[in-house]
Amino acid sequence: MKRFYYGILTMVSALLLVGCHFSENLDLNEDGTGKISINFDGSELMKMGGDKVSEGKKEEIDSILVFKDFLEKHKDSISKLPTDQQEKLHRLKDFEMHMVVNSELGKMNMDMYKDFGDVSELGDVLRDLKIAMTMSGKELGKNNAQTPAGMTISEDDGTRVKYSFKNNKFSRITEIIDAEKVKKNVDSLEQMRMFLASSKYKLKYSFPRKIIKMSSDKATFSLDAKSFTLEVGFIEFMENPKILDVEVELEK
């Protein structure tokens, strides 16, 4: 089972964007607390490469990984990593990941989530997911690789995501801090463009009161006007990360 789990994570890490769908979900409470999750639906990817991972065997996984426990378990070896990599790992301390895989049905779903005390403490959850996959692979990897020693955390992709909720106004804004890195990321996906065509990135945000103003004209709203959905193509998102910038005003 561990070998199969590692194979899944390796395949996802290598082909993270091919024919897959991501959903970034946020539920905001009146006091600014809430829950955020990022869901990865890799069923299409599983159907494309699942036989190689499972070696033709029927495998089924339904597992939860608590990153706080992982960090505690490996704290000694983590302390030997470069400071910037330690910081990236510790960003995951409040997350849990629920992974469901069924090779026979061609199903793969990962849901990483956490509660937060202030929306401003959140960052780029897609990047967090990529780092979490690296950690998961080390935890359940081949050859009893039970520590993150030698782990290389992927570098930042040239952007920074910031959330804010003040005076009835919510925002999710992406800052381009290194345009060259953004361009390199897009260029690196050029050969996969055909496969990426069906990949999507979706925001699904819910609020404690009705939305009276919204910056994006592409969003759709729930019947009670307390939530919205905004979906874009993944290639479109990679080429222009700011396409998912939103500013929302709630009723008083």
Side-chain angles (χ1 to χ4, degrees):
M1 179 65 74
K2 287 185 177 181
R3 185 176 182 183
F4 175 69
Y5 202 159
Y6 179 79
I8 287 290
L9 291 165
T10 300
M11 182 174 68
V12 172
S13 297
L15 299 172
L16 183 63
L17 312 176
V18 181
C20 302
H21 304 293
F22 297 86
S23 179
E24 181 182 318
N25 311 295
L26 184 141
D27 293 302
L28 188 64
N29 300 321
E30 189 67 52
D31 61 358
T33 63
K35 180 177 181 178
I36 192 165
S37 67
I38 180 166
N39 178 270
F40 167 81
D41 182 355
S43 297
E44 291 183 37
L45 176 60
M46 185 66 179
K47 291 172 183 176
M48 289 171 59
D51 289 342
K52 294 181 180 179
V53 176
S54 63
E55 299 178 341
K57 300 177 182 178
K58 296 179 181 179
E59 298 283 2
E60 188 172 351
I61 294 172
D62 190 337
S63 178
I64 293 178
L65 180 59
V66 179
F67 289 102
K68 183 178 180 180
D69 295 344
F70 179 97
L71 293 170
E72 176 62 26
K73 178 179 179 180
H74 300 299
K75 61 183 179 181
D76 291 338
S77 54
I78 288 175
S79 67
K80 299 175 184 178
L81 296 173
T83 301
D84 61 331
Q85 294 197 16
Q86 291 186 48
E87 291 175 352
K88 291 175 182 178
L89 290 175
H90 283 291
R91 276 190 53 82
L92 305 182
K93 65 182 177 65
D94 296 322
F95 277 104
E96 295 182 11
M97 178 188 282
H98 183 202
M99 182 175 186
V100 177
V101 177
N102 188 307
S103 61
E104 185 177 12
L105 299 178
K107 180 179 180 180
M108 180 198 300
N109 191 277
M110 299 180 192
D111 193 33
M112 194 171 84
Y113 50 88
K114 74 171 182 177
D115 295 324
F116 58 83
D118 189 322
V119 72
S120 65
E121 71 189 40
L122 301 177
D124 189 333
V125 291
L126 178 60
R127 186 179 303 149
D128 290 339
L129 177 64
K130 292 178 182 179
I131 295 172
M133 287 178 176
T134 302
M135 293 175 67
S136 302
K138 288 293 181 179
E139 174 68 1
L140 295 167
K142 295 178 181 178
N143 302 321
N144 297 314
Q146 293 296 309
T147 74
M151 175 190 298
T152 300
I153 304 302
S154 58
E155 64 175 329
D156 292 343
D157 56 11
T159 64
R160 181 186 295 121
V161 180
K162 290 187 176 181
Y163 299 79
S164 175
F165 181 50
K166 296 179 181 178
N167 303 319
N168 299 315
K169 294 182 179 179
F170 169 88
S171 65
R172 177 197 189 278
I173 303 297
T174 304
E175 296 181 11
I176 306 296
I177 56 179
D178 191 328
E180 186 62 28
K181 280 187 178 180
V182 174
K183 184 178 184 302
K184 285 182 178 179
N185 286 332
V186 174
D187 291 345
S188 69
L189 299 175
E190 188 60 36
Q191 294 183 339
M192 298 163 61
R193 184 173 289 269
M194 180 178 68
F195 299 101
L196 290 166
S198 63
S199 297
K200 305 291 183 182
Y201 199 103
K202 179 190 297 184
L203 302 184
K204 296 174 67 177
Y205 289 3
S206 298
F207 302 94
R209 284 172 273 125
K210 289 183 178 180
I211 300 170
I212 60 174
K213 193 174 181 180
M214 170 69 171
S215 60
S216 175
D217 58 3
K218 296 182 180 180
T220 58
F221 301 89
S222 61
L223 292 176
D224 63 6
K226 291 184 178 181
S227 63
F228 76 82
T229 300
L230 175 60
E231 182 177 279
V232 300
F234 207 99
I235 282 287
E236 189 179 13
F237 168 58
M238 293 295 290
E239 291 176 336
N240 177 22
K242 292 183 68 63
I243 197 171
L244 289 179
D245 284 4
V246 293
E247 295 181 84
V248 177
E249 184 175 348
L250 307 181
E251 68 175 1
K252 295 182 179 180

